[in-house]
Amino acid sequence: MRMTFRIVVLFFLAIALIGCGNRSSNPWNLIPDERITLRIAWWGGDFRNNATIKVIEMYEMLNPHVNIEFEYSAFNEYWKKIAPYAAGNALPDIIQMDISYLSQYGSLDLLEDLTPYVSSGNIDASDVSERNISSGKLDDKLFGFNLGVNALYSVYDPEVFKANGITPPTEGWTWETFESMGEQLRGKSVYLGTYFTPEQFFAYYLRQQGDTLFAHDGSRLGYENDTLFIEYFGLMQRLTMSRLIYSPDIWNSNIRLADSDPFYRGETLLGWGYSNQFISTVELYGKPLEIAPIPGPNTDQGMFLKPSMFFSIAKNSKHKEEAAKFISFFLNDLEANKVLKGERGVPVSAEVKEQLKPFLEPEQLQVFDYIEWVENNSSPMDPPDPVGTAEVTNILRNLNDLLLFGMITPEAAATEFRLKANQILAKHNKSWEG
């Protein structure tokens, strides 16, 4: 009778505990949590790879029931690896996603809508602005969560400017200033700059004029006046033919090595890129560097805050909630972000950004300060790149190479680009509507 009474008491005690609102499905922890394996993939260099692995190990220590398998590669190789996974409906649970691929993967129903995971708190976005959240949206679906913001920038060594008797760029400098710097370098062994990635900098130039590279519906190019193409690429061709900027043949070498990129040999005044690259650039350069905006005028129209990259969850994932929790940890954990050091962009969590400042090294603080300046001197980002962007980019890069080698005129390139780009965009837009 006593044993029966004890069993009844334990039974009702269990019922009471289960009904107390404890979120755990196992209030006594009598049975270990189910072992979960997550797969994650990203692209990046050595610093990003090592830092991300450390953060994964931190998460696994805090969540012993989770095992995370990972793979990484360089940017171009990454997408070649991801494509077969997508075709086989076997994408990793968490995919590092670039804005140029977001429309493509989202429109093919390969990515999970993250909105419910934000609403439930599995992804804690309480300190993230709507502007930063919405950058990963297509229509009303959130296909990628912004991991950090960055912006186009110029980078330079003040000592190289001083040695050549040229004043470094200021906030108000323009393309005209840029070209005049080149004139002062004629006959010297120092160049004005290296290769401008055409799709990034032409898009910026168009924004300066109040236009966009793509129409908002993605069905065609966004600018109507080919004079803008002729002006921008005419400038690039003129500077290259005068040997004031390096022609694209330098990119046939391994520019990740300091002795292969002329910037790292002190042979150019300026380098270009996105602000999240500054830390690794300084490390590779080996001396202090400075940041400046991209040339104006109308810098506030041209500049924008760009999500450096996203984390997306694959539609085929069997552990979407756990994947969402890892993304939340990546975004919001201070210790994790001390390791990551804003290399994927300045954190989107306002609280984490402020908490990190006392721990920042000088070059990191430069990036944070620059992003703060851009926030106050920029316009909203263009919509995510449409499906077909990769093909359009290839056309533009090929034409850009021909231009810089003097094998085509800006006028002919403008006509060819418009014809081919509009054909590609219309084809994809029609198939998407169908």
Side-chain angles (χ1 to χ4, degrees), residues 5 27 72 114 131 165 168 170 229 256-257 265 270 285 373 426 434:
F5 178 77
Y72 52 82
L114 302 182
R131 178 180 180 180
T170 60
F229 185 106
R256 290 183 177 275
L257 302 177
R265 298 197 298 261
L270 294 149
Y285 195 79
W373 180 86

Side-chain angles (χ1 to χ4, degrees), residues 31 40 62 109 117 142 144 146 171 180 195 238 252 255 301 306 312 322 324 336 342 370 379 399-400 414 419:
I31 303 172
I40 181 172
L62 293 169
D109 200 31
Y117 303 92
L142 183 63
N146 189 346
E171 289 179 7
S180 70
Y195 179 81
R238 191 162 63 247
N252 293 329
I255 59 168
Q301 283 186 195
K306 176 185 180 293
S312 296
E322 197 64 54
Y370 178 65
S379 301
L399 287 170
N400 182 65
L419 176 65

Side-chain angles (χ1 to χ4, degrees), residues 59-99:
Y59 189 81
E60 288 176 327
M61 286 185 66
L62 293 169
N63 300 273
H65 67 291
V66 178
N67 173 60
I68 300 179
E69 298 175 350
F70 55 85
E71 58 181 293
Y72 52 82
S73 53
F75 184 82
N76 290 332
E77 288 72 23
Y78 175 80
W79 296 107
K80 292 175 184 176
K81 287 183 178 179
I82 289 293
Y85 289 143
N89 199 33
L91 284 167
D93 300 273
I94 302 169
I95 318 150
Q96 189 169 283
M97 179 60 57
D98 186 76
I99 195 165

Side-chain angles (χ1 to χ4, degrees), residues 195 243 246-253 401 405:
Y195 179 81
R243 297 197 58 78
Y246 270 88
S247 56
D249 57 340
I250 68 164
W251 307 105
N252 293 329
S253 60
D401 287 355
F405 285 121

Side-chain angles (χ1 to χ4, degrees), residues 187-406:
K188 298 184 178 182
S189 58
V190 175
Y191 289 71
L192 180 54
T194 50
Y195 179 81
F196 287 83
T197 310
E199 68 274 13
Q200 295 173 337
F201 290 93
F202 180 46
Y204 166 77
Y205 186 80
L206 289 171
R207 284 174 55 89
Q208 287 180 287
Q209 322 304 321
D211 277 299
T212 57
L213 182 56
F214 300 110
H216 280 239
D217 65 0
S219 65
R220 65 189 190 286
L221 293 175
Y223 65 99
E224 298 296 337
N225 186 358
D226 279 344
T227 301
L228 298 175
F229 185 106
I230 294 165
E231 287 175 353
Y232 175 78
F233 287 100
L235 171 63
M236 294 299 119
Q237 186 182 61
R238 191 162 63 247
L239 291 172
T240 306
M241 300 305 287
S242 300
R243 297 197 58 78
L244 294 175
I245 61 173
Y246 270 88
S247 56
D249 57 340
I250 68 164
W251 307 105
N252 293 329
S253 60
N254 185 359
I255 59 168
R256 290 183 177 275
L257 302 177
D259 60 357
S260 298
D261 188 328
F263 177 80
Y264 295 100
R265 298 197 298 261
E267 295 175 1
T268 66
L269 288 185
L270 294 149
W272 323 100
Y274 278 100
S275 54
N276 65 304
Q277 300 168 327
F278 182 67
I279 296 168
S280 58
T281 300
V282 172
E283 288 182 354
L284 194 56
Y285 195 79
K287 292 195 299 183
L289 297 171
E290 297 291 334
I291 294 174
I294 302 300
N298 305 323
T299 306
D300 58 339
Q301 283 186 195
M303 291 298 295
F304 59 95
L305 286 176
K306 176 185 180 293
S308 58
M309 58 208 70
F310 305 93
F311 269 158
S312 296
I313 296 177
K315 193 86 168 182
N316 59 257
S317 172
K318 296 179 181 178
H319 304 293
K320 296 182 177 73
E321 285 194 6
E322 197 64 54
K325 290 175 184 176
F326 175 80
I327 293 173
S328 188
F329 175 80
F330 205 90
L331 295 168
N332 294 295
D333 187 85
L334 178 60
E335 296 305 315
N337 279 277
K338 285 181 185 178
V339 173
L340 296 168
K341 294 185 177 181
E343 189 271 339
R344 280 181 172 85
V346 173
V348 293
S349 166
E351 183 176 349
V352 168
K353 184 167 66 173
E354 287 304 311
Q355 290 177 337
L356 271 181
K357 285 185 177 179
F359 305 98
L360 296 177
E361 297 170 9
E363 62 271 16
Q364 296 166 331
L365 194 56
Q366 281 181 265
V367 175
F368 276 54
D369 288 345
Y370 178 65
I371 290 298
E372 189 172 332
W373 180 86
V374 173
E375 282 180 317
N376 297 314
N377 295 272
S378 61
S379 301
M381 186 183 73
D382 297 338
D385 294 338
V387 178
T389 293
E391 295 172 65
V392 173
T393 297
N394 284 336
I395 297 294
L396 187 60
R397 289 186 177 184
N398 290 337
L399 287 170
N400 182 65
D401 287 355
L402 293 174
L403 280 159
L404 299 192
F405 285 121

